[in-house]
Amino acid sequence: MIEDVKIAPSILSADIANLARDLDAISSADFVHVDVMDGHFVPNLTFGPNVVKAAKANSDLPADVHLMITNPDETAEEYARAGADIVTFHWEAATHAHRVVMGIHEAGAKAGISLNPATPASVLEDIISDLDLVLVMSVNPGFGGQKFIPNTLRKLRQVRALAAERGVSPLVEVDGGVGAANAAQIVEAGASVLVAGSAVYGSEDRAAAISQIRDAGRQGLTRRA
Ligand code: DX5
Ligand code: ZN
């Protein structure tokens, strides 16, 4: 298998007072997804670089850090220095997206750009070749437990087509409202990294939830043209 489905549980839905325990519960996943929210780009306020450090200290999984902050130009590199393996910022928030990507790379991490539901895939035309990851938001960012927006599937196909046209293959990640019920169609449309907050942490057996989402996603991989 050239590409496999990867699961990135979001600790936004974890019990932050028991973070070590809740990280341990997802050790069968592929990434730990850390949702950084600043109370400005999105109404919610969550974690900073210290939680990235804590995640790295208490888990063997690579840290997939999703910055929902207004000033990635100023602070994205700090998350790479805190130990993030992937730092993803929002296209809508960056003034000089290319410079931010280069800064993340220089600080030693992989770089991703995220698109809000209303942002077209075409904004990536002149940057996709520099990216390690494209994160397509399937809800409006800010909160866990929202409903998947169906137009995301169309955007995933567009992102994949653009990557193919440029001859590059960044990871394509989807975030929001993802679970075992829709994982197959999401992967079929072009995603290979599935973020899941409530679908994993809302289940009693987190390892079982991870493998159910992964198995469902793999069905989509076999259906992909
Ligand atoms: C939303 C966050 C997501 C969120 C997903 O702004 O970026 O990562 O935790 O939560 P679920 O899977 O519950 O939709
Ligand atoms: Zn996220």
Side-chain angles (χ1 to χ4, degrees):
M1 206 181 284
I2 302 164
E3 188 179 18
D4 197 7
V5 177
K6 295 182 166 61
I7 310 297
S10 166
I11 56 167
L12 182 63
S13 298
D15 177 359
I16 206 69
N18 289 291
L19 183 60
R21 181 201 68 192
D22 279 5
L23 285 168
D24 201 47
I26 60 159
S27 59
S28 61
D30 300 281
F31 296 104
V32 51
H33 185 82
V34 183
D35 283 309
V36 175
M37 304 187 185
D38 67 352
H40 294 277
F41 183 71
V42 290
N44 205 355
L45 183 63
T46 59
F47 317 129
N50 281 346
V51 173
V52 175
K53 280 185 198 157
K56 289 297 287 182
N58 290 282
S59 172
D60 293 330
L61 298 178
D64 169 36
V65 177
H66 176 194
L67 300 180
M68 287 161 275
I69 61 174
T70 53
N71 57 344
D73 294 71
E74 289 154 48
T75 61
E77 290 171 35
E78 221 176 290
Y79 291 85
R81 286 194 291 269
D85 296 85
I86 306 171
V87 179
T88 297
F89 63 92
H90 270 262
W91 182 84
E92 301 84 2
T95 308
H96 302 287
H98 182 267
R99 182 182 290 155
V100 180
V101 168
M102 296 302 130
I104 293 168
H105 283 159
E106 275 161 34
K110 292 190 184 333
I113 289 186
S114 181
L115 304 180
N116 275 337
T119 303
S122 58
V123 301
L124 298 175
E125 278 179 13
D126 291 314
I127 189 89
I128 197 164
S129 307
D130 298 299
L131 299 179
D132 303 290
L133 181 145
V134 174
L135 171 52
V136 177
M137 289 306 298
S138 40
V139 297
N140 287 294
F143 302 96
Q146 301 182 77
K147 208 167 161 283
F148 182 87
I149 298 171
N151 184 56
T152 307
L153 299 174
R154 181 171 160 266
K155 200 187 294 184
L156 284 170
R157 288 190 283 270
Q158 292 170 336
V159 168
R160 268 210 112 73
L162 179 61
E165 197 183 303
R166 295 286 188 278
V168 293
S169 44
L171 289 170
V172 179
E173 181 176 44
V174 169
D175 187 358
V178 178
N182 56 10
Q185 54 174 341
I186 292 167
V187 172
E188 185 179 0
S192 63
V193 185
L194 305 178
V195 177
S198 46
V200 169
Y201 281 110
S203 304
E204 203 122 310
D205 186 340
R206 280 85 193 255
I210 289 165
S211 62
Q212 278 160 17
I213 300 167
R214 191 186 275 126
D215 288 349
R218 281 178 178 158
Q219 286 172 23
L221 207 54
T222 59
R223 273 189 242 146
R224 204 191 274 171

